[in-house]
Amino acid sequence: MATAETPQTSNLNNIANLLSIAPATAAVPHASAPPANAPPGSLATSNYSVFAASSLVIDPVVFLLWLNGLSIDKAALYLHKKAALLAQSSSNLGSVSDSLNVKQSFIQKTSSIFQASSEFPSPLPDPHSTMKSSKPWHSQLSKQTNDSLKALLQTQYRIYEHLELTLHYPSQQAHSPTLSPSTKRFLIESYYSYDPKIMRELLGKKLSTRTRKDLDDIAERTQTPLGACRRTFDNLKRIARRVDDSPTASRIESEFLLPPTQSHVYTMVLFISRNRLDTSKRKLAARPLALFVDMAAMLARWLGDEDGELDNAVALDARDARSVLFASKEVLEEFRGATVARLNDDGENGSGGSGAFAWSVVGDKPFRVVLKNVLGVGVSVSVKEFRDVFINLLEKVVEPCEGMGWGKRELDAFLDACLATWIECESIPNSVRRKLERGLTR
């Protein structure tokens, strides 16, 4: 005879279903006979034996809300309001191979919502949803009371709080059997993700207690949750401290198990911070994080190392080149004529990358202004003047190019032609030519 389901087992199964957990066993209460010495009329006693076991469940959506510092009340409010959207985004979660759709749909459809309020994360970290999941409990929120939802969120938040310390030492958890490899990857990469607006605000700043106290202002300026700002700051400081002796992308990648692209960004941000490069000038304020990362990568490659150690040989080579080129009008004119001829030839052959740009009519301004300023920036790349390299590049190179109608393609073609002409120009001493060639072709 089948045993009727009791309220206790029903509630346990409901919670298990909501959390996508399959409980191992749940024993129902069973009646036993009264003890032999019990007085007549005694009722049978009920013994309860309950045992529940399951694998650890990480809900990617709730984890991202927790990462951004949302309280349980705010997370519950958000999930209630967006239940229908979350259900639609999660409808393709039938298999591991389909779960990537959660990330694409959820992020794309909620981007405008997140940007409208600093209470919600914007943008979401990139969840690598190769995590196993059955029907997610978000789709059933309309059937749940607010108290039930908060209880579920509290359980999930408690799990994440216990896991957080292990995320500070990812390499030590690489072989832990508790979580699957895909889940570990999701947790680590999401925990060390960042909002580009927040990271941009931290560029060039000293990772001190005072800076951490100013995170309230950063959260207000970027319209992002304070919790996300604190996590980004703490992660950056932790990485900086852990790889202080060798702040390279490969070291960060192995120490924190991050993908190459994420490790590269952290490396360049640390490069800027270690050298205290100024990114706070008003003209630089509107420039995005990606631009500074690219420029930092160029400087690190140019200077020889990404660990922040300056090589003054670059400044000395640029100083020698500027002295040779601009000390004699004859040398500069010969150099200009050969460079323009090369640019025109490359344009006709389609190898210059500058289309039909009329190089023959540019005059000597690119040489007197752009080339001289590029070499001037190179001279300033020294221990004392390196701090202002970004504003120098903007004011002395980017703005003059924009004034002449040049874009990246024209500047690249011009500098490539200058380097090729420099190597072949007989008016320049061979020793000076070879020396600068080695410096510029690193």
Side-chain angles (χ1 to χ4, degrees):
M1 179 176 177
T3 304
E5 188 181 59
T6 66
Q8 289 85 354
T9 56
S10 177
N11 290 338
L12 181 61
N13 287 330
N14 286 339
I15 294 175
N17 290 331
L18 288 174
L19 290 175
S20 304
I21 298 174
T25 57
V28 299
H30 52 86
S32 61
N37 58 353
S42 296
L43 297 176
T45 60
S46 294
N47 298 326
Y48 291 86
S49 299
V50 178
F51 173 78
S54 67
S55 59
L56 185 62
V57 173
I58 303 296
D59 186 283
V61 174
V62 177
F63 183 71
L64 297 178
L65 298 177
W66 174 80
L67 273 185
N68 285 273
L70 269 71
S71 66
I72 290 178
D73 289 338
K74 289 183 178 179
L77 176 63
Y78 169 78
L79 291 176
H80 266 301
K81 288 184 176 180
K82 309 306 171 189
L85 179 59
L86 290 171
Q88 182 180 357
S89 300
S90 304
S91 60
N92 296 321
L93 266 178
S95 66
V96 173
S97 60
D98 292 336
S99 59
L100 186 61
N101 294 330
V102 176
K103 181 257 293 184
Q104 296 291 347
S105 179
F106 184 75
I107 292 178
Q108 290 174 2
K109 294 183 179 181
T110 58
S111 60
S112 60
I113 298 170
F114 291 150
Q115 291 171 3
S117 173
S118 61
E119 294 183 351
F120 301 126
S122 173
L124 280 174
D126 186 8
H128 294 273
S129 286
T130 55
M131 302 166 58
K132 186 191 300 183
S133 177
S134 58
K135 188 175 182 181
W137 56 271
H138 312 105
S139 61
Q140 305 179 36
L141 289 182
S142 59
K143 303 176 183 179
Q144 303 302 312
T145 66
N146 193 51
D147 290 342
S148 299
L149 175 58
K150 289 182 179 180
L152 295 175
L153 288 172
Q154 187 174 25
T155 301
Q156 287 280 300
Y157 272 38
R158 188 179 298 116
I159 292 174
Y160 306 148
E161 288 167 1
H162 286 300
L163 285 174
E164 185 170 15
L165 183 60
T166 68
L167 293 173
H168 293 175
Y169 302 90
S171 59
Q172 297 181 13
Q173 303 299 320
H175 305 292
S176 172
T178 308
L179 299 170
S180 67
S182 59
T183 302
K184 294 175 190 174
R185 186 170 65 252
F186 164 76
L187 291 174
I188 294 170
E189 294 182 17
S190 297
Y191 189 79
Y192 286 93
S193 62
Y194 52 86
D195 188 316
K197 297 191 299 295
I198 299 174
M199 192 69 84
R200 170 65 184 87
E201 290 283 338
L202 295 174
L203 273 184
K205 288 184 170 61
K206 190 175 181 180
L207 302 176
S208 62
T209 304
R210 181 175 179 179
T211 302
R212 198 179 193 280
K213 290 179 179 178
D214 294 337
L215 292 179
D216 290 348
D217 297 333
I218 292 178
E220 184 177 352
R221 284 197 299 270
T222 59
Q223 290 295 293
T224 52
L226 179 59
C229 296
R230 287 174 176 166
R231 177 174 56 85
T232 302
F233 176 87
D234 292 341
N235 286 345
L236 185 58
K237 187 173 183 178
R238 183 181 309 112
I239 293 175
R241 184 172 60 249
R242 200 80 56 81
V243 301
D244 182 65
D245 57 331
S246 178
T248 61
S250 58
R251 173 73 184 282
I252 294 175
E253 188 175 344
S254 62
E255 185 76 19
F256 291 89
L257 306 182
L258 296 177
T261 52
Q262 214 167 347
S263 300
H264 172 71
V265 173
Y266 274 111
T267 304
M268 294 301 103
V269 171
L270 292 180
F271 176 85
I272 293 173
S273 295
R274 284 167 65 89
N275 289 285
R276 303 298 304 277
L277 302 186
D278 189 2
T279 62
S280 62
K281 294 290 192 295
R282 181 174 298 180
K283 287 185 177 181
L284 298 173
R287 306 290 172 168
L289 173 68
L291 177 64
F292 289 99
V293 169
D294 290 342
M295 289 195 294
M298 176 193 69
L299 290 170
R301 184 172 62 251
W302 197 21
L303 299 175
D305 287 305
E306 59 185 19
D307 60 4
E309 298 298 327
L310 295 180
D311 183 359
N312 283 331
V314 173
L316 297 176
D317 291 346
R319 184 192 63 187
D320 293 343
R322 187 175 63 176
S323 299
V324 170
L325 269 180
F326 295 95
S328 170
K329 186 177 180 180
E330 290 75 16
V331 173
L332 179 60
E333 187 59 32
E334 178 185 346
F335 183 82
R336 188 193 72 81
T339 303
V340 171
R342 182 181 298 276
L343 286 166
N344 287 324
D345 290 342
D346 289 344
E348 292 175 1
N349 298 330
S351 60
S354 55
F357 195 86
W359 291 106
S360 58
V361 299
V362 297
D364 61 350
K365 184 177 180 180
F367 298 89
R368 288 187 298 99
V369 178
V370 178
L371 181 58
K372 190 173 183 178
N373 286 348
V374 167
L375 294 173
V377 172
V379 172
S380 70
V381 178
S382 62
V383 176
K384 292 183 178 181
E385 301 181 56
F386 192 43
R387 175 175 170 78
D388 296 323
V389 64
F390 289 142
I391 191 64
N392 288 339
L393 284 171
L394 178 65
E395 293 180 343
K396 297 180 179 180
V397 180
V398 175
E399 290 180 351
C401 287
E402 291 175 344
M404 294 186 297
W406 284 17
K408 181 180 183 299
R409 208 166 53 166
E410 286 75 25
L411 180 60
D412 285 344
F414 175 72
L415 294 178
D416 287 343
C418 285
L419 179 59
T421 303
W422 172 272
I423 296 172
E424 300 174 359
C425 187
E426 297 181 355
S427 299
I428 301 174
N430 185 63
S431 59
V432 178
R433 278 187 284 155
R434 299 307 173 191
K435 186 178 179 181
L436 187 62
E437 179 187 359
R438 288 193 300 269
L440 294 179
T441 55
R442 295 190 183 198

